[in-house]
Amino acid sequence: MIIRLLGWALVLVVIVAIVGFISNSKQFGTSLLTKKMGIYIIALLFGLYIALF
């Protein structure tokens, strides 16, 4: 049960980080497809895996 809650917490934190990253990228005109975005996506998938299975 606690592991699932940690998974959902990770998903929530990563979604907030992705939204902030997209906002900063639009403001400063940088590319979205960077290593940092890849790490965010991997963390999101890992969090979903923990939360759902």
Side-chain angles (χ1 to χ4, degrees):
M1 181 70 178
I2 291 184
I3 301 294
R4 281 192 177 186
L5 289 176
L6 288 175
W8 285 117
L10 178 64
V11 168
L12 186 64
V13 167
V14 169
I15 288 174
V16 169
I18 288 174
V19 169
F21 183 73
I22 290 172
S23 175
N24 284 342
S25 293
K26 285 184 178 179
Q27 182 178 2
F28 297 115
T30 57
S31 175
L32 284 176
L33 298 176
T34 61
K35 289 182 182 179
K36 189 181 251 186
M37 183 60 105
I39 291 171
Y40 287 155
I41 291 172
I42 290 170
L44 181 67
L45 294 175
F46 182 70
L48 284 173
Y49 177 77
I50 290 174
L52 297 176
F53 296 110

PDB file of all heavy atoms in Angstrom, residues 3-34:
ATOM      1  N   ILE A   3       3.941   1.464  -0.924  1.00  0.00           N
ATOM      2  CA  ILE A   3       4.703   1.502  -2.175  1.00  0.00           C
ATOM      3  C   ILE A   3       3.855   2.125  -3.280  1.00  0.00           C
ATOM      4  O   ILE A   3       4.356   2.922  -4.084  1.00  0.00           O
ATOM      5  CB  ILE A   3       5.167   0.077  -2.567  1.00  0.00           C
ATOM      6  CG1 ILE A   3       6.041  -0.528  -1.481  1.00  0.00           C
ATOM      7  CG2 ILE A   3       5.882   0.082  -3.894  1.00  0.00           C
ATOM      8  CD1 ILE A   3       7.356   0.171  -1.273  1.00  0.00           C
ATOM      9  N   ARG A   4       2.577   1.785  -3.334  1.00  0.00           N
ATOM     10  CA  ARG A   4       1.698   2.384  -4.347  1.00  0.00           C
ATOM     11  C   ARG A   4       1.565   3.890  -4.140  1.00  0.00           C
ATOM     12  O   ARG A   4       1.564   4.649  -5.102  1.00  0.00           O
ATOM     13  CB  ARG A   4       0.325   1.736  -4.307  1.00  0.00           C
ATOM     14  CG  ARG A   4       0.294   0.423  -4.986  1.00  0.00           C
ATOM     15  CD  ARG A   4      -1.105  -0.043  -5.178  1.00  0.00           C
ATOM     16  NE  ARG A   4      -1.070  -1.301  -5.917  1.00  0.00           N
ATOM     17  CZ  ARG A   4      -2.125  -1.909  -6.345  1.00  0.00           C
ATOM     18  NH1 ARG A   4      -3.308  -1.411  -6.112  1.00  0.00           N
ATOM     19  NH2 ARG A   4      -2.005  -3.033  -7.013  1.00  0.00           N
ATOM     20  N   LEU A   5       1.435   4.303  -2.899  1.00  0.00           N
ATOM     21  CA  LEU A   5       1.342   5.741  -2.631  1.00  0.00           C
ATOM     22  C   LEU A   5       2.620   6.465  -3.041  1.00  0.00           C
ATOM     23  O   LEU A   5       2.568   7.576  -3.574  1.00  0.00           O
ATOM     24  CB  LEU A   5       1.039   5.980  -1.156  1.00  0.00           C
ATOM     25  CG  LEU A   5      -0.363   5.607  -0.688  1.00  0.00           C
ATOM     26  CD1 LEU A   5      -0.487   5.798   0.815  1.00  0.00           C
ATOM     27  CD2 LEU A   5      -1.408   6.411  -1.417  1.00  0.00           C
ATOM     28  N   LEU A   6       3.749   5.840  -2.788  1.00  0.00           N
ATOM     29  CA  LEU A   6       5.016   6.439  -3.230  1.00  0.00           C
ATOM     30  C   LEU A   6       5.080   6.511  -4.755  1.00  0.00           C
ATOM     31  O   LEU A   6       5.610   7.472  -5.318  1.00  0.00           O
ATOM     32  CB  LEU A   6       6.193   5.636  -2.682  1.00  0.00           C
ATOM     33  CG  LEU A   6       6.444   5.767  -1.189  1.00  0.00           C
ATOM     34  CD1 LEU A   6       7.557   4.813  -0.760  1.00  0.00           C
ATOM     35  CD2 LEU A   6       6.784   7.187  -0.813  1.00  0.00           C
ATOM     36  N   GLY A   7       4.559   5.504  -5.423  1.00  0.00           N
ATOM     37  CA  GLY A   7       4.508   5.525  -6.886  1.00  0.00           C
ATOM     38  C   GLY A   7       3.667   6.671  -7.403  1.00  0.00           C
ATOM     39  O   GLY A   7       4.059   7.389  -8.324  1.00  0.00           O
ATOM     40  N   TRP A   8       2.473   6.863  -6.795  1.00  0.00           N
ATOM     41  CA  TRP A   8       1.621   7.976  -7.226  1.00  0.00           C
ATOM     42  C   TRP A   8       2.254   9.317  -6.892  1.00  0.00           C
ATOM     43  O   TRP A   8       2.118  10.282  -7.648  1.00  0.00           O
ATOM     44  CB  TRP A   8       0.239   7.862  -6.598  1.00  0.00           C
ATOM     45  CG  TRP A   8      -0.603   6.795  -7.250  1.00  0.00           C
ATOM     46  CD1 TRP A   8      -1.078   5.678  -6.661  1.00  0.00           C
ATOM     47  CD2 TRP A   8      -1.040   6.753  -8.617  1.00  0.00           C
ATOM     48  NE1 TRP A   8      -1.778   4.939  -7.582  1.00  0.00           N
ATOM     49  CE2 TRP A   8      -1.778   5.571  -8.785  1.00  0.00           C
ATOM     50  CE3 TRP A   8      -0.876   7.591  -9.706  1.00  0.00           C
ATOM     51  CZ2 TRP A   8      -2.346   5.212 -10.005  1.00  0.00           C
ATOM     52  CZ3 TRP A   8      -1.440   7.226 -10.928  1.00  0.00           C
ATOM     53  CH2 TRP A   8      -2.164   6.058 -11.070  1.00  0.00           C
ATOM     54  N   ALA A   9       2.950   9.400  -5.769  1.00  0.00           N
ATOM     55  CA  ALA A   9       3.642  10.645  -5.415  1.00  0.00           C
ATOM     56  C   ALA A   9       4.737  10.957  -6.433  1.00  0.00           C
ATOM     57  O   ALA A   9       4.902  12.109  -6.846  1.00  0.00           O
ATOM     58  CB  ALA A   9       4.227  10.544  -4.014  1.00  0.00           C
ATOM     59  N   LEU A  10       5.469   9.930  -6.852  1.00  0.00           N
ATOM     60  CA  LEU A  10       6.503  10.118  -7.868  1.00  0.00           C
ATOM     61  C   LEU A  10       5.895  10.592  -9.177  1.00  0.00           C
ATOM     62  O   LEU A  10       6.422  11.507  -9.824  1.00  0.00           O
ATOM     63  CB  LEU A  10       7.281   8.815  -8.073  1.00  0.00           C
ATOM     64  CG  LEU A  10       8.371   8.842  -9.139  1.00  0.00           C
ATOM     65  CD1 LEU A  10       9.462   9.824  -8.750  1.00  0.00           C
ATOM     66  CD2 LEU A  10       8.953   7.455  -9.346  1.00  0.00           C
ATOM     67  N   VAL A  11       4.773   9.997  -9.568  1.00  0.00           N
ATOM     68  CA  VAL A  11       4.093  10.415 -10.802  1.00  0.00           C
ATOM     69  C   VAL A  11       3.682  11.886 -10.704  1.00  0.00           C
ATOM     70  O   VAL A  11       3.896  12.648 -11.646  1.00  0.00           O
ATOM     71  CB  VAL A  11       2.865   9.511 -11.073  1.00  0.00           C
ATOM     72  CG1 VAL A  11       1.983  10.089 -12.165  1.00  0.00           C
ATOM     73  CG2 VAL A  11       3.308   8.104 -11.433  1.00  0.00           C
ATOM     74  N   LEU A  12       3.121  12.289  -9.586  1.00  0.00           N
ATOM     75  CA  LEU A  12       2.687  13.671  -9.408  1.00  0.00           C
ATOM     76  C   LEU A  12       3.857  14.643  -9.474  1.00  0.00           C
ATOM     77  O   LEU A  12       3.793  15.674 -10.153  1.00  0.00           O
ATOM     78  CB  LEU A  12       1.948  13.817  -8.078  1.00  0.00           C
ATOM     79  CG  LEU A  12       1.315  15.162  -7.799  1.00  0.00           C
ATOM     80  CD1 LEU A  12       0.222  15.452  -8.815  1.00  0.00           C
ATOM     81  CD2 LEU A  12       0.755  15.189  -6.403  1.00  0.00           C
ATOM     82  N   VAL A  13       4.951  14.308  -8.806  1.00  0.00           N
ATOM     83  CA  VAL A  13       6.131  15.177  -8.813  1.00  0.00           C
ATOM     84  C   VAL A  13       6.716  15.294 -10.218  1.00  0.00           C
ATOM     85  O   VAL A  13       7.098  16.385 -10.660  1.00  0.00           O
ATOM     86  CB  VAL A  13       7.176  14.655  -7.803  1.00  0.00           C
ATOM     87  CG1 VAL A  13       8.521  15.333  -8.003  1.00  0.00           C
ATOM     88  CG2 VAL A  13       6.693  14.857  -6.389  1.00  0.00           C
ATOM     89  N   VAL A  14       6.760  14.188 -10.948  1.00  0.00           N
ATOM     90  CA  VAL A  14       7.322  14.219 -12.300  1.00  0.00           C
ATOM     91  C   VAL A  14       6.429  15.020 -13.234  1.00  0.00           C
ATOM     92  O   VAL A  14       6.926  15.768 -14.079  1.00  0.00           O
ATOM     93  CB  VAL A  14       7.547  12.776 -12.819  1.00  0.00           C
ATOM     94  CG1 VAL A  14       7.875  12.778 -14.291  1.00  0.00           C
ATOM     95  CG2 VAL A  14       8.650  12.111 -12.037  1.00  0.00           C
ATOM     96  N   ILE A  15       5.117  14.908 -13.093  1.00  0.00           N
ATOM     97  CA  ILE A  15       4.220  15.700 -13.941  1.00  0.00           C
ATOM     98  C   ILE A  15       4.425  17.192 -13.689  1.00  0.00           C
ATOM     99  O   ILE A  15       4.489  17.988 -14.630  1.00  0.00           O
ATOM    100  CB  ILE A  15       2.754  15.282 -13.718  1.00  0.00           C
ATOM    101  CG1 ILE A  15       2.516  13.906 -14.334  1.00  0.00           C
ATOM    102  CG2 ILE A  15       1.787  16.304 -14.308  1.00  0.00           C
ATOM    103  CD1 ILE A  15       1.157  13.321 -14.051  1.00  0.00           C
ATOM    104  N   VAL A  16       4.555  17.580 -12.436  1.00  0.00           N
ATOM    105  CA  VAL A  16       4.817  18.997 -12.118  1.00  0.00           C
ATOM    106  C   VAL A  16       6.160  19.433 -12.698  1.00  0.00           C
ATOM    107  O   VAL A  16       6.287  20.534 -13.251  1.00  0.00           O
ATOM    108  CB  VAL A  16       4.764  19.225 -10.592  1.00  0.00           C
ATOM    109  CG1 VAL A  16       5.277  20.598 -10.222  1.00  0.00           C
ATOM    110  CG2 VAL A  16       3.351  19.028 -10.083  1.00  0.00           C
ATOM    111  N   ALA A  17       7.169  18.566 -12.614  1.00  0.00           N
ATOM    112  CA  ALA A  17       8.489  18.900 -13.174  1.00  0.00           C
ATOM    113  C   ALA A  17       8.430  19.040 -14.688  1.00  0.00           C
ATOM    114  O   ALA A  17       9.052  19.942 -15.258  1.00  0.00           O
ATOM    115  CB  ALA A  17       9.494  17.822 -12.779  1.00  0.00           C
ATOM    116  N   ILE A  18       7.680  18.170 -15.357  1.00  0.00           N
ATOM    117  CA  ILE A  18       7.566  18.247 -16.818  1.00  0.00           C
ATOM    118  C   ILE A  18       6.857  19.534 -17.223  1.00  0.00           C
ATOM    119  O   ILE A  18       7.278  20.215 -18.163  1.00  0.00           O
ATOM    120  CB  ILE A  18       6.839  17.003 -17.366  1.00  0.00           C
ATOM    121  CG1 ILE A  18       7.760  15.785 -17.270  1.00  0.00           C
ATOM    122  CG2 ILE A  18       6.400  17.216 -18.810  1.00  0.00           C
ATOM    123  CD1 ILE A  18       7.102  14.477 -17.660  1.00  0.00           C
ATOM    124  N   VAL A  19       5.788  19.891 -16.521  1.00  0.00           N
ATOM    125  CA  VAL A  19       5.069  21.135 -16.836  1.00  0.00           C
ATOM    126  C   VAL A  19       5.983  22.343 -16.636  1.00  0.00           C
ATOM    127  O   VAL A  19       6.020  23.253 -17.477  1.00  0.00           O
ATOM    128  CB  VAL A  19       3.787  21.244 -15.983  1.00  0.00           C
ATOM    129  CG1 VAL A  19       3.170  22.627 -16.094  1.00  0.00           C
ATOM    130  CG2 VAL A  19       2.783  20.190 -16.400  1.00  0.00           C
ATOM    131  N   GLY A  20       6.738  22.350 -15.558  1.00  0.00           N
ATOM    132  CA  GLY A  20       7.680  23.446 -15.335  1.00  0.00           C
ATOM    133  C   GLY A  20       8.772  23.495 -16.389  1.00  0.00           C
ATOM    134  O   GLY A  20       9.160  24.568 -16.846  1.00  0.00           O
ATOM    135  N   PHE A  21       9.266  22.328 -16.798  1.00  0.00           N
ATOM    136  CA  PHE A  21      10.304  22.272 -17.820  1.00  0.00           C
ATOM    137  C   PHE A  21       9.787  22.785 -19.158  1.00  0.00           C
ATOM    138  O   PHE A  21      10.474  23.532 -19.853  1.00  0.00           O
ATOM    139  CB  PHE A  21      10.800  20.829 -17.947  1.00  0.00           C
ATOM    140  CG  PHE A  21      11.919  20.650 -18.923  1.00  0.00           C
ATOM    141  CD1 PHE A  21      13.193  21.097 -18.622  1.00  0.00           C
ATOM    142  CD2 PHE A  21      11.701  20.043 -20.141  1.00  0.00           C
ATOM    143  CE1 PHE A  21      14.230  20.934 -19.514  1.00  0.00           C
ATOM    144  CE2 PHE A  21      12.730  19.873 -21.039  1.00  0.00           C
ATOM    145  CZ  PHE A  21      13.994  20.321 -20.727  1.00  0.00           C
ATOM    146  N   ILE A  22       8.559  22.398 -19.509  1.00  0.00           N
ATOM    147  CA  ILE A  22       7.963  22.872 -20.765  1.00  0.00           C
ATOM    148  C   ILE A  22       7.754  24.383 -20.706  1.00  0.00           C
ATOM    149  O   ILE A  22       8.024  25.091 -21.678  1.00  0.00           O
ATOM    150  CB  ILE A  22       6.642  22.129 -21.050  1.00  0.00           C
ATOM    151  CG1 ILE A  22       6.943  20.676 -21.414  1.00  0.00           C
ATOM    152  CG2 ILE A  22       5.859  22.800 -22.166  1.00  0.00           C
ATOM    153  CD1 ILE A  22       5.720  19.795 -21.528  1.00  0.00           C
ATOM    154  N   SER A  23       7.307  24.879 -19.580  1.00  0.00           N
ATOM    155  CA  SER A  23       7.100  26.322 -19.419  1.00  0.00           C
ATOM    156  C   SER A  23       8.417  27.081 -19.576  1.00  0.00           C
ATOM    157  O   SER A  23       8.480  28.100 -20.275  1.00  0.00           O
ATOM    158  CB  SER A  23       6.484  26.605 -18.057  1.00  0.00           C
ATOM    159  OG  SER A  23       6.372  27.973 -17.832  1.00  0.00           O
ATOM    160  N   ASN A  24       9.466  26.591 -18.936  1.00  0.00           N
ATOM    161  CA  ASN A  24      10.773  27.252 -19.059  1.00  0.00           C
ATOM    162  C   ASN A  24      11.314  27.146 -20.469  1.00  0.00           C
ATOM    163  O   ASN A  24      11.940  28.088 -20.965  1.00  0.00           O
ATOM    164  CB  ASN A  24      11.771  26.641 -18.076  1.00  0.00           C
ATOM    165  CG  ASN A  24      11.532  27.110 -16.662  1.00  0.00           C
ATOM    166  OD1 ASN A  24      10.876  28.109 -16.448  1.00  0.00           O
ATOM    167  ND2 ASN A  24      12.067  26.371 -15.708  1.00  0.00           N
ATOM    168  N   SER A  25      11.091  26.024 -21.138  1.00  0.00           N
ATOM    169  CA  SER A  25      11.581  25.859 -22.504  1.00  0.00           C
ATOM    170  C   SER A  25      10.893  26.840 -23.443  1.00  0.00           C
ATOM    171  O   SER A  25      11.526  27.395 -24.331  1.00  0.00           O
ATOM    172  CB  SER A  25      11.345  24.429 -22.986  1.00  0.00           C
ATOM    173  OG  SER A  25      12.143  23.544 -22.244  1.00  0.00           O
ATOM    174  N   LYS A  26       9.596  27.038 -23.249  1.00  0.00           N
ATOM    175  CA  LYS A  26       8.886  27.992 -24.099  1.00  0.00           C
ATOM    176  C   LYS A  26       9.344  29.420 -23.817  1.00  0.00           C
ATOM    177  O   LYS A  26       9.461  30.227 -24.722  1.00  0.00           O
ATOM    178  CB  LYS A  26       7.381  27.873 -23.882  1.00  0.00           C
ATOM    179  CG  LYS A  26       6.791  26.650 -24.525  1.00  0.00           C
ATOM    180  CD  LYS A  26       5.293  26.617 -24.370  1.00  0.00           C
ATOM    181  CE  LYS A  26       4.716  25.404 -25.057  1.00  0.00           C
ATOM    182  NZ  LYS A  26       3.256  25.328 -24.915  1.00  0.00           N
ATOM    183  N   GLN A  27       9.615  29.715 -22.556  1.00  0.00           N
ATOM    184  CA  GLN A  27      10.019  31.071 -22.183  1.00  0.00           C
ATOM    185  C   GLN A  27      11.398  31.408 -22.743  1.00  0.00           C
ATOM    186  O   GLN A  27      11.618  32.511 -23.230  1.00  0.00           O
ATOM    187  CB  GLN A  27      10.027  31.209 -20.663  1.00  0.00           C
ATOM    188  CG  GLN A  27      10.374  32.592 -20.175  1.00  0.00           C
ATOM    189  CD  GLN A  27      10.323  32.681 -18.661  1.00  0.00           C
ATOM    190  OE1 GLN A  27      10.063  31.705 -17.981  1.00  0.00           O
ATOM    191  NE2 GLN A  27      10.585  33.871 -18.146  1.00  0.00           N
ATOM    192  N   PHE A  28      12.321  30.460 -22.680  1.00  0.00           N
ATOM    193  CA  PHE A  28      13.692  30.740 -23.105  1.00  0.00           C
ATOM    194  C   PHE A  28      14.007  30.211 -24.497  1.00  0.00           C
ATOM    195  O   PHE A  28      15.108  30.375 -24.989  1.00  0.00           O
ATOM    196  CB  PHE A  28      14.678  30.160 -22.086  1.00  0.00           C
ATOM    197  CG  PHE A  28      14.559  30.776 -20.731  1.00  0.00           C
ATOM    198  CD1 PHE A  28      14.145  30.026 -19.649  1.00  0.00           C
ATOM    199  CD2 PHE A  28      14.836  32.112 -20.540  1.00  0.00           C
ATOM    200  CE1 PHE A  28      14.019  30.592 -18.392  1.00  0.00           C
ATOM    201  CE2 PHE A  28      14.723  32.700 -19.287  1.00  0.00           C
ATOM    202  CZ  PHE A  28      14.309  31.942 -18.216  1.00  0.00           C
ATOM    203  N   GLY A  29      13.050  29.544 -25.145  1.00  0.00           N
ATOM    204  CA  GLY A  29      13.216  29.097 -26.517  1.00  0.00           C
ATOM    205  C   GLY A  29      14.188  27.947 -26.682  1.00  0.00           C
ATOM    206  O   GLY A  29      14.829  27.825 -27.716  1.00  0.00           O
ATOM    207  N   THR A  30      14.310  27.094 -25.677  1.00  0.00           N
ATOM    208  CA  THR A  30      15.207  25.946 -25.791  1.00  0.00           C
ATOM    209  C   THR A  30      14.435  24.723 -26.274  1.00  0.00           C
ATOM    210  O   THR A  30      13.212  24.696 -26.272  1.00  0.00           O
ATOM    211  CB  THR A  30      15.871  25.631 -24.432  1.00  0.00           C
ATOM    212  OG1 THR A  30      14.848  25.401 -23.467  1.00  0.00           O
ATOM    213  CG2 THR A  30      16.742  26.783 -23.979  1.00  0.00           C
ATOM    214  N   SER A  31      15.167  23.718 -26.666  1.00  0.00           N
ATOM    215  CA  SER A  31      14.564  22.497 -27.193  1.00  0.00           C
ATOM    216  C   SER A  31      13.947  21.666 -26.071  1.00  0.00           C
ATOM    217  O   SER A  31      14.459  21.598 -24.962  1.00  0.00           O
ATOM    218  CB  SER A  31      15.630  21.671 -27.915  1.00  0.00           C
ATOM    219  OG  SER A  31      15.093  20.447 -28.339  1.00  0.00           O
ATOM    220  N   LEU A  32      12.830  21.021 -26.379  1.00  0.00           N
ATOM    221  CA  LEU A  32      12.166  20.166 -25.400  1.00  0.00           C
ATOM    222  C   LEU A  32      12.802  18.782 -25.315  1.00  0.00           C
ATOM    223  O   LEU A  32      12.758  18.145 -24.274  1.00  0.00           O
ATOM    224  CB  LEU A  32      10.684  20.007 -25.754  1.00  0.00           C
ATOM    225  CG  LEU A  32       9.786  21.183 -25.444  1.00  0.00           C
ATOM    226  CD1 LEU A  32       8.382  20.896 -25.959  1.00  0.00           C
ATOM    227  CD2 LEU A  32       9.746  21.470 -23.975  1.00  0.00           C
ATOM    228  N   LEU A  33      13.354  18.309 -26.418  1.00  0.00           N
ATOM    229  CA  LEU A  33      13.888  16.946 -26.457  1.00  0.00           C
ATOM    230  C   LEU A  33      15.342  16.937 -25.996  1.00  0.00           C
ATOM    231  O   LEU A  33      16.267  16.921 -26.796  1.00  0.00           O
ATOM    232  CB  LEU A  33      13.760  16.367 -27.870  1.00  0.00           C
ATOM    233  CG  LEU A  33      12.322  16.250 -28.378  1.00  0.00           C
ATOM    234  CD1 LEU A  33      12.315  15.771 -29.809  1.00  0.00           C
ATOM    235  CD2 LEU A  33      11.526  15.317 -27.496  1.00  0.00           C
ATOM    236  N   THR A  34      15.525  16.951 -24.696  1.00  0.00           N
ATOM    237  CA  THR A  34      16.864  16.917 -24.128  1.00  0.00           C
ATOM    238  C   THR A  34      16.984  15.697 -23.224  1.00  0.00           C
ATOM    239  O   THR A  34      16.029  14.962 -23.019  1.00  0.00           O
ATOM    240  CB  THR A  34      17.136  18.195 -23.303  1.00  0.00           C
ATOM    241  OG1 THR A  34      16.193  18.262 -22.239  1.00  0.00           O
ATOM    242  CG2 THR A  34      17.032  19.447 -24.159  1.00  0.00           C
TER     243      THR A  34
END
